[in-house]
Amino acid sequence: MSVRNSAIGALVSAVGAVLLLAGCSNGTAGGDQSSPSSVVPTVNATAAAPATTVEATGKATPEATTPSPIPSDTGSARWNPCSLPDSAISAAGLSTASKQQLDAQSCRWKSAGQTSELTVVSNTDTAAELKQSGKYVQFSDATLGGRAALQYRAAQDNHKTGCYLTTFTSSGAIVFVVKTLKVQTDDFDSCADVRQFGAALAGYLP
């Protein structure tokens, strides 16, 4: 009997050893058998790639997006000084041939004798803004064709070669600017000139 019991015990021990080895070789069983470093993420190539178009050359290029519309110029509705009729310009002593459209709200003419130039501007300045800007000096009240107006000069104009005459309307300001072209003489009065031109054209203002 002792021999038989010894054989059974040896058999049980051998079976246990086999099970133990099997357990070691499957130690990760029931869990993820791959280590984190061995996991390779998949990439959806279709989703990641930008939209492309193929040019005639066969080269794929990124598809262009539609640009945002450019805002319209809200000031373009203001009065355009270049709309002053040639007959009025000529009657004021200005040369119609010298007309220059500086922008949508600015126009310039030279006097018939080429001694001065007149620029007329339509803008949204107010009297308070002009006085507070520090750009202008020598303000004085004036009239322009029966309208209240403001006369002044540029602060840096030490030789008084220019003069401004501005009247204010419900839609903004209308500015007359005279600059003398008599650079070699003191025989001029730019403020007298701007009042003269302004008076001649006042009836054509909006």
Side-chain angles (χ1 to χ4, degrees), residues 54-98:
V54 179
E55 298 177 347
T57 58
K59 181 180 178 182
T61 58
E63 185 174 312
T65 58
T66 303
S68 300
I70 299 174
S72 60
D73 179 10
T74 57
S76 60
R78 294 198 306 271
W79 177 66
N80 182 357
C82 278
S83 66
L84 287 166
D86 285 350
S87 57
I89 293 298
S90 180
L94 298 164
S95 168
T96 57
S98 67

Side-chain angles (χ1 to χ4, degrees), residues 4-187:
R4 182 179 178 182
N5 290 336
S6 298
I8 292 173
L11 179 59
V12 171
S13 298
V15 172
V18 172
L19 292 175
L20 179 61
L21 291 173
C24 291
S25 63
N26 295 309
T28 58
D32 186 358
Q33 296 184 11
S34 302
S35 63
S37 61
S38 65
V39 177
V40 179
T42 58
V43 177
N44 188 334
T46 302
T52 60
T53 57
V54 179
E55 298 177 347
T57 58
K59 181 180 178 182
T61 58
E63 185 174 312
T65 58
T66 303
S68 300
I70 299 174
S72 60
D73 179 10
T74 57
S76 60
R78 294 198 306 271
W79 177 66
N80 182 357
C82 278
S83 66
L84 287 166
D86 285 350
S87 57
I89 293 298
S90 180
L94 298 164
S95 168
T96 57
S98 67
K99 179 179 179 179
Q100 289 181 278
Q101 174 99 42
L102 304 181
D103 56 42
Q105 282 81 41
S106 303
C107 207
R108 177 178 293 162
W109 297 265
K110 288 183 179 180
S111 64
Q114 304 293 301
T115 57
S116 62
E117 62 182 21
L118 171 71
T119 304
V120 184
V121 181
S122 175
N123 62 33
T124 58
D125 290 343
T126 66
E129 289 171 341
L130 291 172
K131 292 178 179 180
Q132 295 170 6
S133 69
K135 298 178 181 179
Y136 308 105
V137 294
Q138 298 181 16
F139 290 93
S140 62
D141 293 332
T143 58
L144 180 59
R147 308 182 191 211
L150 194 63
Q151 178 182 296
Y152 51 98
R153 295 184 187 274
Q156 76 276 13
D157 185 7
N158 297 324
H159 298 287
K160 300 181 179 181
T161 58
C163 193
Y164 296 73
L165 185 63
T166 299
T167 188
F168 303 93
T169 70
S170 58
S171 60
I174 298 175
V175 187
F176 288 79
V177 189
V178 159
K179 179 181 178 182
T180 185
L181 301 179
K182 297 179 179 180
V183 295
Q184 303 299 328
T185 178
D186 291 332
D187 182 24

Side-chain angles (χ1 to χ4, degrees), residues 188-204:
F188 63 86
D189 185 342
S190 54
C191 283
D193 288 343
V194 77
R195 289 193 300 270
Q196 178 182 336
F197 290 135
L201 297 172
Y204 299 91

